[in-house]
Amino acid sequence: MKRFRSIRWTAASQLVAVTLVLCVAAGAALAQTKTAAKPAAAAANPYQSALDAAYAKFKSLQEGKNADYIPALAKVDPNIFGIALVTVDGKVYTTGDITSEVSIQSISKVFTMARVIEEQGADAIEKNMGVDATGQVFNSIVAVEQYRGSEMNAMVNPGAITTTSMVDGANRDEIWKKILDTHSDFAGRALTVNQEVFKSEAETNQRNQAISMLMFAYGHIKSEPLRACDIYTEQCAISVNAKDLATMAATLANGGKNPVTRKQCMKVENVPKVLAVMATAGLYDDSGKWLYMTGMPAKSGVGGGILAVSPGKFGIAVISPPLDAAGNSVKAQKAIADVSNAVGGNPYAAKPR
Ligand code: DON
């Protein structure tokens, strides 16, 4: 019995010993797997790392103020902060709040200009309002008066409302559908209008109405200036999130072809024309500073979005409503500049061979 017990004991201890050995071996294997996985995690995608780093760096920054000359914009949550980057091969990187939507505002000027160039050729824009910087604020009447509505560009309000007036169509609905469809194609999804923002701006846009009348008086808008102003106001109220804007920018970075949906949204030869005007005037009177800092054609909107284009590489966008004195999102400028510097987005920064 004793022996039997001791045999059983020996068998039991052997079993325990074997189990222990197996556990230790399994543990070691697991540890090895974990160590092996580590280098992969450390070598995270450089785009994602750059986005995450910029988000962490600027998340708590409390500078700037929401636009309030359009009453509905003052009510938008100033803490929305989302960053998205879409590469020309269709990879999407995001961080922060990328589901919240803001109104696209002046960023829409880029895509309506693209539409008009598609319909009428690049000359149409150059001849009608010009492709030069005004050096003035985006809704300057002085800029209109200076050259009777010429020598400006499609990114400032007088040029943008005129651009909207140039979209072909038998009636308002037809023109509006073209504009909304163009924006949706660039974003790769069916966009909609924030009706509260549209109504709020339509009730308070007397200055833009005056600008439209002046551009009509000087012969740049050919008909129905107040209708053009109204359609322009509606296009500014299109709702977008950071990923939408980054996809729109990536489409411009990719020769006019949406890298996610693969739809050709504009002719490849027209893209540099749009990018040139963005580089000249995308951030208004701060466009020079912006280009000096990043080298990237970009466009801001008073809703808090900025998108920027690194041609042949990626589109990037940030949404954060508080703006600086020029009407450009404070966090968006800083975050885009940081990400771009980290991943080599500046198109002027060629490496010597
Ligand atoms: O026309 C306006 O004043 C606005 N709907 C758009 C202005 C704007 O977004 C200027 N951008 N920074």
Side-chain angles (χ1 to χ4, degrees):
M1 188 65 181
K2 222 179 172 185
R3 198 167 162 250
F4 178 68
R5 228 192 251 144
S6 99
I7 288 167
R8 271 177 58 196
W9 174 245
T10 313
S13 23
Q14 269 173 359
L15 193 68
V16 169
V18 169
T19 315
L20 266 173
V21 168
L22 283 177
C23 282
V24 169
L30 199 69
Q32 227 173 25
T33 319
K34 273 192 185 154
T35 345
K38 245 189 175 161
N45 182 284
Y47 288 121
Q48 190 62 53
S49 308
L51 258 57
D52 292 342
Y55 183 78
K57 185 168 165 190
F58 299 115
K59 188 176 169 7
S60 316
L61 185 75
Q62 297 288 326
E63 271 176 40
K65 198 171 151 293
N66 280 27
D68 57 7
Y69 74 99
I70 300 168
L73 298 189
K75 294 195 282 178
V76 176
D77 179 0
N79 296 313
I80 295 171
F81 182 34
I83 313 178
L85 183 150
V86 178
T87 62
V88 290
D89 49 6
K91 295 201 177 68
V92 179
Y93 302 93
T94 62
T95 190
D97 183 355
I98 52 139
T99 51
S100 288
E101 297 185 2
V102 295
S103 50
I104 189 168
Q105 296 298 336
S106 280
I107 301 170
S108 66
K109 294 165 177 171
V110 170
F111 303 97
T112 304
M113 177 187 171
R115 177 82 228 175
V116 168
I117 288 190
E118 286 296 287
E119 289 179 355
Q120 302 174 33
D123 282 2
I125 290 286
E126 191 187 350
K127 282 196 184 120
N128 196 351
M129 80 282 303
V131 289
D132 277 308
T134 63
Q136 304 284 341
V137 292
F138 59 83
N139 56 3
S140 170
I141 287 174
V142 170
V144 178
E145 286 302 304
Q146 194 174 12
Y147 299 110
R148 300 171 68 83
S150 297
E151 304 286 323
M152 58 165 73
N153 61 76
M155 301 296 124
V156 289
N157 290 10
I161 298 168
T162 305
T163 304
T164 298
S165 80
M166 294 167 75
V167 176
D168 280 337
N171 51 49
R172 191 194 189 286
D173 285 353
E174 210 178 292
I175 295 165
W176 170 246
K177 187 177 178 326
K178 276 188 184 178
I179 291 175
L180 185 61
D181 286 353
T182 301
H183 284 73
S184 298
D185 284 348
F186 274 88
R189 73 174 181 110
L191 299 175
T192 56
V193 169
N194 180 326
Q195 293 298 335
E196 191 197 345
V197 172
F198 177 31
K199 187 167 177 286
S200 176
E201 184 166 3
E203 284 168 358
T204 53
N205 67 351
Q206 289 74 22
R207 187 181 179 93
N208 279 345
Q209 292 179 36
I211 287 173
S212 310
M213 294 302 257
L214 270 178
M215 291 302 274
F216 178 70
Y218 289 136
H220 301 280
I221 295 180
K222 309 282 189 254
S223 68
E224 300 195 60
L226 294 183
R227 185 182 75 173
C229 184
D230 190 52
I231 300 174
Y232 159 84
T233 307
E234 187 164 7
Q235 86 183 32
C236 287
I238 292 172
S239 239
V240 283
N241 59 38
K243 190 183 150 207
D244 294 327
L245 291 178
T247 309
M248 294 167 107
T251 302
L252 293 169
N254 190 39
K257 185 174 192 168
N258 185 315
V260 180
T261 64
R262 313 298 302 157
K263 178 167 184 166
Q264 191 72 42
C265 300
M266 67 185 295
K267 291 189 201 89
V268 61
E269 63 269 26
N270 286 337
V271 174
K273 305 293 184 196
V274 173
L275 294 181
V277 179
M278 289 168 70
T280 306
L283 269 71
Y284 308 113
D285 36 327
D286 275 354
S287 297
K289 261 190 235 160
W290 170 260
L291 206 61
Y292 192 76
M293 187 162 63
T294 68
M296 289 194 294
K299 186 73 204 82
S300 64
V302 287
I306 297 185
L307 58 71
V309 178
S310 181
K313 290 187 177 169
F314 61 81
I316 180 170
V318 174
I319 288 179
S320 166
L323 311 176
D324 64 13
N328 302 316
S329 165
V330 177
K331 275 187 197 166
Q333 289 176 78
K334 290 181 188 290
I336 293 175
D338 262 35
V339 171
S340 169
N341 288 338
V343 299
N346 188 330
Y348 297 128
K351 287 203 176 83
R353 289 174 196 232

PDB file of all heavy atoms in Angstrom, residues 69-70 73 104-107 109 138-139 155 157 161 201 205 208 232-233 236-237 282-284 299-303 305 323 326-329, ligand 1:
ATOM      1  N   TYR A  69     -19.873  85.367 -37.102  1.00  0.00           N
ATOM      2  CA  TYR A  69     -20.640  86.257 -37.988  1.00  0.00           C
ATOM      3  C   TYR A  69     -21.712  85.475 -38.729  1.00  0.00           C
ATOM      4  O   TYR A  69     -22.657  86.046 -39.278  1.00  0.00           O
ATOM      5  CB  TYR A  69     -19.693  87.011 -38.953  1.00  0.00           C
ATOM      6  CG  TYR A  69     -19.130  86.178 -40.082  1.00  0.00           C
ATOM      7  CD1 TYR A  69     -19.697  86.223 -41.355  1.00  0.00           C
ATOM      8  CD2 TYR A  69     -18.052  85.322 -39.878  1.00  0.00           C
ATOM      9  CE1 TYR A  69     -19.199  85.446 -42.390  1.00  0.00           C
ATOM     10  CE2 TYR A  69     -17.547  84.549 -40.907  1.00  0.00           C
ATOM     11  CZ  TYR A  69     -18.123  84.616 -42.160  1.00  0.00           C
ATOM     12  OH  TYR A  69     -17.640  83.842 -43.179  1.00  0.00           O
ATOM     13  N   ILE A  70     -21.577  84.131 -38.739  1.00  0.00           N
ATOM     14  CA  ILE A  70     -22.678  83.246 -39.148  1.00  0.00           C
ATOM     15  C   ILE A  70     -23.153  82.634 -37.821  1.00  0.00           C
ATOM     16  O   ILE A  70     -22.444  81.801 -37.238  1.00  0.00           O
ATOM     17  CB  ILE A  70     -22.202  82.150 -40.129  1.00  0.00           C
ATOM     18  CG1 ILE A  70     -21.620  82.795 -41.395  1.00  0.00           C
ATOM     19  CG2 ILE A  70     -23.326  81.177 -40.460  1.00  0.00           C
ATOM     20  CD1 ILE A  70     -20.869  81.846 -42.310  1.00  0.00           C
ATOM     21  N   LEU A  73     -22.553  79.014 -36.537  1.00  0.00           N
ATOM     22  CA  LEU A  73     -21.189  78.500 -36.366  1.00  0.00           C
ATOM     23  C   LEU A  73     -20.669  78.717 -34.945  1.00  0.00           C
ATOM     24  O   LEU A  73     -19.813  77.976 -34.460  1.00  0.00           O
ATOM     25  CB  LEU A  73     -20.224  79.142 -37.367  1.00  0.00           C
ATOM     26  CG  LEU A  73     -20.513  78.900 -38.850  1.00  0.00           C
ATOM     27  CD1 LEU A  73     -19.364  79.409 -39.709  1.00  0.00           C
ATOM     28  CD2 LEU A  73     -20.778  77.431 -39.147  1.00  0.00           C
ATOM     29  N   ILE A 104     -18.654  72.876 -44.648  1.00  0.00           N
ATOM     30  CA  ILE A 104     -17.428  72.935 -45.453  1.00  0.00           C
ATOM     31  C   ILE A 104     -16.975  74.383 -45.673  1.00  0.00           C
ATOM     32  O   ILE A 104     -15.794  74.654 -45.814  1.00  0.00           O
ATOM     33  CB  ILE A 104     -17.655  72.206 -46.794  1.00  0.00           C
ATOM     34  CG1 ILE A 104     -16.350  72.040 -47.576  1.00  0.00           C
ATOM     35  CG2 ILE A 104     -18.689  72.918 -47.661  1.00  0.00           C
ATOM     36  CD1 ILE A 104     -16.452  71.075 -48.755  1.00  0.00           C
ATOM     37  N   GLN A 105     -17.940  75.312 -45.728  1.00  0.00           N
ATOM     38  CA  GLN A 105     -17.678  76.745 -45.947  1.00  0.00           C
ATOM     39  C   GLN A 105     -16.758  76.975 -47.151  1.00  0.00           C
ATOM     40  O   GLN A 105     -16.979  76.432 -48.197  1.00  0.00           O
ATOM     41  CB  GLN A 105     -17.162  77.390 -44.653  1.00  0.00           C
ATOM     42  CG  GLN A 105     -18.201  77.348 -43.525  1.00  0.00           C
ATOM     43  CD  GLN A 105     -19.469  78.119 -43.855  1.00  0.00           C
ATOM     44  OE1 GLN A 105     -19.471  79.022 -44.674  1.00  0.00           O
ATOM     45  NE2 GLN A 105     -20.586  77.746 -43.254  1.00  0.00           N
ATOM     46  N   SER A 106     -15.722  77.784 -46.972  1.00  0.00           N
ATOM     47  CA  SER A 106     -14.921  78.209 -48.133  1.00  0.00           C
ATOM     48  C   SER A 106     -14.174  77.077 -48.832  1.00  0.00           C
ATOM     49  O   SER A 106     -13.689  77.270 -49.943  1.00  0.00           O
ATOM     50  CB  SER A 106     -13.901  79.258 -47.698  1.00  0.00           C
ATOM     51  OG  SER A 106     -14.528  80.507 -47.594  1.00  0.00           O
ATOM     52  N   ILE A 107     -14.060  75.926 -48.174  1.00  0.00           N
ATOM     53  CA  ILE A 107     -13.357  74.816 -48.834  1.00  0.00           C
ATOM     54  C   ILE A 107     -14.129  74.410 -50.094  1.00  0.00           C
ATOM     55  O   ILE A 107     -13.551  73.923 -51.067  1.00  0.00           O
ATOM     56  CB  ILE A 107     -13.157  73.630 -47.862  1.00  0.00           C
ATOM     57  CG1 ILE A 107     -12.353  74.092 -46.638  1.00  0.00           C
ATOM     58  CG2 ILE A 107     -12.466  72.461 -48.546  1.00  0.00           C
ATOM     59  CD1 ILE A 107     -12.282  73.088 -45.508  1.00  0.00           C
ATOM     60  N   LYS A 109     -15.182  76.266 -52.288  1.00  0.00           N
ATOM     61  CA  LYS A 109     -14.781  77.098 -53.437  1.00  0.00           C
ATOM     62  C   LYS A 109     -13.871  76.321 -54.390  1.00  0.00           C
ATOM     63  O   LYS A 109     -13.903  76.513 -55.606  1.00  0.00           O
ATOM     64  CB  LYS A 109     -14.062  78.361 -52.938  1.00  0.00           C
ATOM     65  CG  LYS A 109     -14.978  79.305 -52.149  1.00  0.00           C
ATOM     66  CD  LYS A 109     -14.181  80.348 -51.366  1.00  0.00           C
ATOM     67  CE  LYS A 109     -15.090  81.335 -50.629  1.00  0.00           C
ATOM     68  NZ  LYS A 109     -14.364  82.223 -49.710  1.00  0.00           N
ATOM     69  N   PHE A 138     -11.057  87.671 -46.905  1.00  0.00           N
ATOM     70  CA  PHE A 138     -11.789  86.913 -47.916  1.00  0.00           C
ATOM     71  C   PHE A 138     -13.074  87.585 -48.411  1.00  0.00           C
ATOM     72  O   PHE A 138     -13.559  87.269 -49.489  1.00  0.00           O
ATOM     73  CB  PHE A 138     -12.088  85.490 -47.421  1.00  0.00           C
ATOM     74  CG  PHE A 138     -12.901  85.422 -46.155  1.00  0.00           C
ATOM     75  CD1 PHE A 138     -14.281  85.516 -46.184  1.00  0.00           C
ATOM     76  CD2 PHE A 138     -12.277  85.237 -44.926  1.00  0.00           C
ATOM     77  CE1 PHE A 138     -15.034  85.437 -45.026  1.00  0.00           C
ATOM     78  CE2 PHE A 138     -13.014  85.159 -43.758  1.00  0.00           C
ATOM     79  CZ  PHE A 138     -14.394  85.262 -43.801  1.00  0.00           C
ATOM     80  N   ASN A 139     -13.635  88.493 -47.600  1.00  0.00           N
ATOM     81  CA  ASN A 139     -14.876  89.138 -48.059  1.00  0.00           C
ATOM     82  C   ASN A 139     -14.669  90.637 -48.267  1.00  0.00           C
ATOM     83  O   ASN A 139     -15.559  91.446 -48.027  1.00  0.00           O
ATOM     84  CB  ASN A 139     -16.040  88.856 -47.105  1.00  0.00           C
ATOM     85  CG  ASN A 139     -15.718  89.277 -45.675  1.00  0.00           C
ATOM     86  OD1 ASN A 139     -14.657  89.827 -45.411  1.00  0.00           O
ATOM     87  ND2 ASN A 139     -16.636  89.017 -44.777  1.00  0.00           N
ATOM     88  N   MET A 155     -10.974  81.852 -54.758  1.00  0.00           N
ATOM     89  CA  MET A 155     -10.987  81.430 -53.351  1.00  0.00           C
ATOM     90  C   MET A 155     -11.534  82.513 -52.417  1.00  0.00           C
ATOM     91  O   MET A 155     -11.857  82.245 -51.273  1.00  0.00           O
ATOM     92  CB  MET A 155      -9.570  81.032 -52.888  1.00  0.00           C
ATOM     93  CG  MET A 155      -8.949  79.898 -53.680  1.00  0.00           C
ATOM     94  SD  MET A 155      -9.828  78.328 -53.518  1.00  0.00           S
ATOM     95  CE  MET A 155     -10.182  77.928 -55.223  1.00  0.00           C
ATOM     96  N   ASN A 157     -14.428  85.525 -51.544  1.00  0.00           N
ATOM     97  CA  ASN A 157     -15.878  85.520 -51.780  1.00  0.00           C
ATOM     98  C   ASN A 157     -16.329  86.098 -53.130  1.00  0.00           C
ATOM     99  O   ASN A 157     -17.159  85.485 -53.808  1.00  0.00           O
ATOM    100  CB  ASN A 157     -16.605  86.203 -50.618  1.00  0.00           C
ATOM    101  CG  ASN A 157     -16.529  85.364 -49.352  1.00  0.00           C
ATOM    102  OD1 ASN A 157     -15.785  84.375 -49.311  1.00  0.00           O
ATOM    103  ND2 ASN A 157     -17.271  85.741 -48.335  1.00  0.00           N
ATOM    104  N   ILE A 161     -18.289  83.537 -55.535  1.00  0.00           N
ATOM    105  CA  ILE A 161     -19.714  83.676 -55.894  1.00  0.00           C
ATOM    106  C   ILE A 161     -19.821  83.771 -57.421  1.00  0.00           C
ATOM    107  O   ILE A 161     -20.728  83.200 -58.040  1.00  0.00           O
ATOM    108  CB  ILE A 161     -20.340  84.898 -55.187  1.00  0.00           C
ATOM    109  CG1 ILE A 161     -20.265  84.716 -53.663  1.00  0.00           C
ATOM    110  CG2 ILE A 161     -21.795  85.097 -55.630  1.00  0.00           C
ATOM    111  CD1 ILE A 161     -20.580  85.964 -52.849  1.00  0.00           C
ATOM    112  N   GLU A 201     -26.810  81.455 -42.369  1.00  0.00           N
ATOM    113  CA  GLU A 201     -25.992  82.336 -43.219  1.00  0.00           C
ATOM    114  C   GLU A 201     -26.869  83.103 -44.214  1.00  0.00           C
ATOM    115  O   GLU A 201     -26.625  84.281 -44.479  1.00  0.00           O
ATOM    116  CB  GLU A 201     -24.892  81.561 -43.961  1.00  0.00           C
ATOM    117  CG  GLU A 201     -23.998  82.527 -44.753  1.00  0.00           C
ATOM    118  CD  GLU A 201     -22.688  81.954 -45.259  1.00  0.00           C
ATOM    119  OE1 GLU A 201     -22.431  80.745 -45.058  1.00  0.00           O
ATOM    120  OE2 GLU A 201     -21.910  82.721 -45.859  1.00  0.00           O
ATOM    121  N   ASN A 205     -26.303  87.198 -44.634  1.00  0.00           N
ATOM    122  CA  ASN A 205     -25.216  87.350 -45.625  1.00  0.00           C
ATOM    123  C   ASN A 205     -25.361  88.605 -46.509  1.00  0.00           C
ATOM    124  O   ASN A 205     -24.992  88.577 -47.689  1.00  0.00           O
ATOM    125  CB  ASN A 205     -25.104  86.086 -46.501  1.00  0.00           C
ATOM    126  CG  ASN A 205     -26.320  85.901 -47.401  1.00  0.00           C
ATOM    127  OD1 ASN A 205     -27.319  86.612 -47.260  1.00  0.00           O
ATOM    128  ND2 ASN A 205     -26.240  84.954 -48.317  1.00  0.00           N
ATOM    129  N   ASN A 208     -22.265  89.506 -48.486  1.00  0.00           N
ATOM    130  CA  ASN A 208     -22.051  88.708 -49.700  1.00  0.00           C
ATOM    131  C   ASN A 208     -23.044  89.094 -50.801  1.00  0.00           C
ATOM    132  O   ASN A 208     -22.710  89.053 -51.992  1.00  0.00           O
ATOM    133  CB  ASN A 208     -22.172  87.211 -49.401  1.00  0.00           C
ATOM    134  CG  ASN A 208     -20.890  86.642 -48.803  1.00  0.00           C
ATOM    135  OD1 ASN A 208     -19.839  87.291 -48.864  1.00  0.00           O
ATOM    136  ND2 ASN A 208     -20.968  85.452 -48.237  1.00  0.00           N
ATOM    137  N   TYR A 232     -24.283  79.766 -53.634  1.00  0.00           N
ATOM    138  CA  TYR A 232     -22.967  79.771 -52.980  1.00  0.00           C
ATOM    139  C   TYR A 232     -23.127  79.534 -51.469  1.00  0.00           C
ATOM    140  O   TYR A 232     -22.384  78.751 -50.864  1.00  0.00           O
ATOM    141  CB  TYR A 232     -22.261  81.110 -53.254  1.00  0.00           C
ATOM    142  CG  TYR A 232     -21.169  81.433 -52.280  1.00  0.00           C
ATOM    143  CD1 TYR A 232     -19.877  80.912 -52.449  1.00  0.00           C
ATOM    144  CD2 TYR A 232     -21.410  82.251 -51.168  1.00  0.00           C
ATOM    145  CE1 TYR A 232     -18.875  81.205 -51.532  1.00  0.00           C
ATOM    146  CE2 TYR A 232     -20.411  82.547 -50.261  1.00  0.00           C
ATOM    147  CZ  TYR A 232     -19.149  82.019 -50.434  1.00  0.00           C
ATOM    148  OH  TYR A 232     -18.155  82.298 -49.524  1.00  0.00           O
ATOM    149  N   THR A 233     -24.133  80.181 -50.879  1.00  0.00           N
ATOM    150  CA  THR A 233     -24.377  80.029 -49.433  1.00  0.00           C
ATOM    151  C   THR A 233     -24.746  78.581 -49.110  1.00  0.00           C
ATOM    152  O   THR A 233     -24.296  78.020 -48.104  1.00  0.00           O
ATOM    153  CB  THR A 233     -25.506  80.986 -48.977  1.00  0.00           C
ATOM    154  OG1 THR A 233     -25.151  82.300 -49.409  1.00  0.00           O
ATOM    155  CG2 THR A 233     -25.684  80.989 -47.475  1.00  0.00           C
ATOM    156  N   CYS A 236     -21.700  76.345 -49.192  1.00  0.00           N
ATOM    157  CA  CYS A 236     -20.870  76.525 -47.990  1.00  0.00           C
ATOM    158  C   CYS A 236     -21.412  75.731 -46.803  1.00  0.00           C
ATOM    159  O   CYS A 236     -20.693  75.484 -45.832  1.00  0.00           O
ATOM    160  CB  CYS A 236     -20.794  78.007 -47.614  1.00  0.00           C
ATOM    161  SG  CYS A 236     -19.756  78.972 -48.731  1.00  0.00           S
ATOM    162  N   ALA A 237     -22.708  75.340 -46.860  1.00  0.00           N
ATOM    163  CA  ALA A 237     -23.329  74.636 -45.732  1.00  0.00           C
ATOM    164  C   ALA A 237     -23.290  73.110 -45.894  1.00  0.00           C
ATOM    165  O   ALA A 237     -23.879  72.387 -45.094  1.00  0.00           O
ATOM    166  CB  ALA A 237     -24.765  75.116 -45.567  1.00  0.00           C
ATOM    167  N   GLY A 282      -5.429  80.100 -50.854  1.00  0.00           N
ATOM    168  CA  GLY A 282      -6.238  79.156 -50.071  1.00  0.00           C
ATOM    169  C   GLY A 282      -6.419  79.552 -48.619  1.00  0.00           C
ATOM    170  O   GLY A 282      -7.414  79.222 -47.992  1.00  0.00           O
ATOM    171  N   LEU A 283      -5.408  80.239 -48.058  1.00  0.00           N
ATOM    172  CA  LEU A 283      -5.536  80.693 -46.670  1.00  0.00           C
ATOM    173  C   LEU A 283      -5.571  82.225 -46.625  1.00  0.00           C
ATOM    174  O   LEU A 283      -5.134  82.853 -45.668  1.00  0.00           O
ATOM    175  CB  LEU A 283      -4.426  80.119 -45.782  1.00  0.00           C
ATOM    176  CG  LEU A 283      -4.811  78.775 -45.107  1.00  0.00           C
ATOM    177  CD1 LEU A 283      -4.877  77.637 -46.107  1.00  0.00           C
ATOM    178  CD2 LEU A 283      -3.883  78.431 -43.967  1.00  0.00           C
ATOM    179  N   TYR A 284      -6.096  82.803 -47.713  1.00  0.00           N
ATOM    180  CA  TYR A 284      -6.321  84.254 -47.800  1.00  0.00           C
ATOM    181  C   TYR A 284      -5.032  85.038 -47.611  1.00  0.00           C
ATOM    182  O   TYR A 284      -4.002  84.677 -48.139  1.00  0.00           O
ATOM    183  CB  TYR A 284      -7.425  84.675 -46.812  1.00  0.00           C
ATOM    184  CG  TYR A 284      -8.640  83.831 -47.028  1.00  0.00           C
ATOM    185  CD1 TYR A 284      -9.068  82.931 -46.084  1.00  0.00           C
ATOM    186  CD2 TYR A 284      -9.298  83.890 -48.246  1.00  0.00           C
ATOM    187  CE1 TYR A 284     -10.155  82.115 -46.327  1.00  0.00           C
ATOM    188  CE2 TYR A 284     -10.393  83.081 -48.498  1.00  0.00           C
ATOM    189  CZ  TYR A 284     -10.808  82.202 -47.534  1.00  0.00           C
ATOM    190  OH  TYR A 284     -11.870  81.405 -47.785  1.00  0.00           O
ATOM    191  N   LYS A 299      -6.741  74.725 -48.454  1.00  0.00           N
ATOM    192  CA  LYS A 299      -7.920  75.601 -48.394  1.00  0.00           C
ATOM    193  C   LYS A 299      -8.543  75.494 -47.018  1.00  0.00           C
ATOM    194  O   LYS A 299      -8.708  74.399 -46.490  1.00  0.00           O
ATOM    195  CB  LYS A 299      -8.948  75.194 -49.464  1.00  0.00           C
ATOM    196  CG  LYS A 299     -10.121  76.157 -49.549  1.00  0.00           C
ATOM    197  CD  LYS A 299      -9.721  77.473 -50.188  1.00  0.00           C
ATOM    198  CE  LYS A 299     -10.632  78.619 -49.771  1.00  0.00           C
ATOM    199  NZ  LYS A 299     -10.266  79.195 -48.445  1.00  0.00           N
ATOM    200  N   SER A 300      -8.898  76.633 -46.488  1.00  0.00           N
ATOM    201  CA  SER A 300      -9.536  76.672 -45.168  1.00  0.00           C
ATOM    202  C   SER A 300     -11.006  77.059 -45.314  1.00  0.00           C
ATOM    203  O   SER A 300     -11.418  77.613 -46.332  1.00  0.00           O
ATOM    204  CB  SER A 300      -8.841  77.720 -44.302  1.00  0.00           C
ATOM    205  OG  SER A 300      -9.041  79.003 -44.883  1.00  0.00           O
ATOM    206  N   GLY A 301     -11.765  76.783 -44.258  1.00  0.00           N
ATOM    207  CA  GLY A 301     -13.161  77.226 -44.200  1.00  0.00           C
ATOM    208  C   GLY A 301     -13.468  77.718 -42.797  1.00  0.00           C
ATOM    209  O   GLY A 301     -12.880  77.208 -41.831  1.00  0.00           O
ATOM    210  N   VAL A 302     -14.379  78.687 -42.677  1.00  0.00           N
ATOM    211  CA  VAL A 302     -14.684  79.214 -41.342  1.00  0.00           C
ATOM    212  C   VAL A 302     -15.459  78.218 -40.466  1.00  0.00           C
ATOM    213  O   VAL A 302     -15.683  78.478 -39.288  1.00  0.00           O
ATOM    214  CB  VAL A 302     -15.430  80.576 -41.380  1.00  0.00           C
ATOM    215  CG1 VAL A 302     -14.518  81.703 -41.783  1.00  0.00           C
ATOM    216  CG2 VAL A 302     -16.673  80.517 -42.244  1.00  0.00           C
ATOM    217  N   GLY A 303     -15.841  77.067 -41.039  1.00  0.00           N
ATOM    218  CA  GLY A 303     -16.436  76.001 -40.225  1.00  0.00           C
ATOM    219  C   GLY A 303     -15.379  75.327 -39.354  1.00  0.00           C
ATOM    220  O   GLY A 303     -15.703  74.575 -38.429  1.00  0.00           O
ATOM    221  N   GLY A 305     -12.526  73.665 -40.843  1.00  0.00           N
ATOM    222  CA  GLY A 305     -11.761  72.669 -41.596  1.00  0.00           C
ATOM    223  C   GLY A 305     -10.635  73.303 -42.401  1.00  0.00           C
ATOM    224  O   GLY A 305     -10.736  74.461 -42.809  1.00  0.00           O
ATOM    225  N   LEU A 323     -10.818  79.662 -34.765  1.00  0.00           N
ATOM    226  CA  LEU A 323     -10.074  80.272 -35.878  1.00  0.00           C
ATOM    227  C   LEU A 323      -9.144  81.374 -35.384  1.00  0.00           C
ATOM    228  O   LEU A 323      -9.378  81.986 -34.336  1.00  0.00           O
ATOM    229  CB  LEU A 323     -11.046  80.912 -36.870  1.00  0.00           C
ATOM    230  CG  LEU A 323     -12.240  80.086 -37.340  1.00  0.00           C
ATOM    231  CD1 LEU A 323     -13.127  80.956 -38.243  1.00  0.00           C
ATOM    232  CD2 LEU A 323     -11.797  78.834 -38.080  1.00  0.00           C
ATOM    233  N   ALA A 326      -7.261  85.611 -39.324  1.00  0.00           N
ATOM    234  CA  ALA A 326      -7.445  85.542 -40.776  1.00  0.00           C
ATOM    235  C   ALA A 326      -8.597  84.613 -41.162  1.00  0.00           C
ATOM    236  O   ALA A 326      -8.933  84.482 -42.341  1.00  0.00           O
ATOM    237  CB  ALA A 326      -6.150  85.080 -41.440  1.00  0.00           C
ATOM    238  N   GLY A 327      -9.175  83.911 -40.166  1.00  0.00           N
ATOM    239  CA  GLY A 327     -10.305  83.017 -40.444  1.00  0.00           C
ATOM    240  C   GLY A 327      -9.879  81.587 -40.728  1.00  0.00           C
ATOM    241  O   GLY A 327     -10.626  80.811 -41.321  1.00  0.00           O
ATOM    242  N   ASN A 328      -8.667  81.221 -40.265  1.00  0.00           N
ATOM    243  CA  ASN A 328      -8.155  79.870 -40.491  1.00  0.00           C
ATOM    244  C   ASN A 328      -8.051  79.123 -39.152  1.00  0.00           C
ATOM    245  O   ASN A 328      -7.589  79.704 -38.157  1.00  0.00           O
ATOM    246  CB  ASN A 328      -6.773  79.940 -41.146  1.00  0.00           C
ATOM    247  CG  ASN A 328      -6.799  80.704 -42.459  1.00  0.00           C
ATOM    248  OD1 ASN A 328      -7.706  80.512 -43.274  1.00  0.00           O
ATOM    249  ND2 ASN A 328      -5.827  81.587 -42.673  1.00  0.00           N
ATOM    250  N   SER A 329      -8.441  77.849 -39.152  1.00  0.00           N
ATOM    251  CA  SER A 329      -8.408  77.057 -37.919  1.00  0.00           C
ATOM    252  C   SER A 329      -6.986  77.015 -37.346  1.00  0.00           C
ATOM    253  O   SER A 329      -6.030  76.670 -38.044  1.00  0.00           O
ATOM    254  CB  SER A 329      -8.896  75.640 -38.207  1.00  0.00           C
ATOM    255  OG  SER A 329      -8.554  74.783 -37.141  1.00  0.00           O
TER     256      SER A 329
HETATM  257  O1  DON B   1     -19.094  83.499 -47.415  1.00  0.00           O
HETATM  258  C1  DON B   1     -18.715  83.329 -46.257  1.00  0.00           C
HETATM  259  O2  DON B   1     -18.395  84.267 -45.555  1.00  0.00           O
HETATM  260  C2  DON B   1     -18.674  81.925 -45.709  1.00  0.00           C
HETATM  261  N1  DON B   1     -19.764  81.167 -46.218  1.00  0.00           N
HETATM  262  C3  DON B   1     -17.400  81.258 -46.095  1.00  0.00           C
HETATM  263  C4  DON B   1     -16.172  82.023 -45.671  1.00  0.00           C
HETATM  264  C5  DON B   1     -15.021  81.159 -45.333  1.00  0.00           C
HETATM  265  O3  DON B   1     -15.133  79.989 -45.063  1.00  0.00           O
HETATM  266  C6  DON B   1     -13.709  81.819 -45.224  1.00  0.00           C
HETATM  267  N2  DON B   1     -12.721  80.837 -44.840  1.00  0.00           N
HETATM  268  N3  DON B   1     -11.849  80.748 -44.111  1.00  0.00           N
END
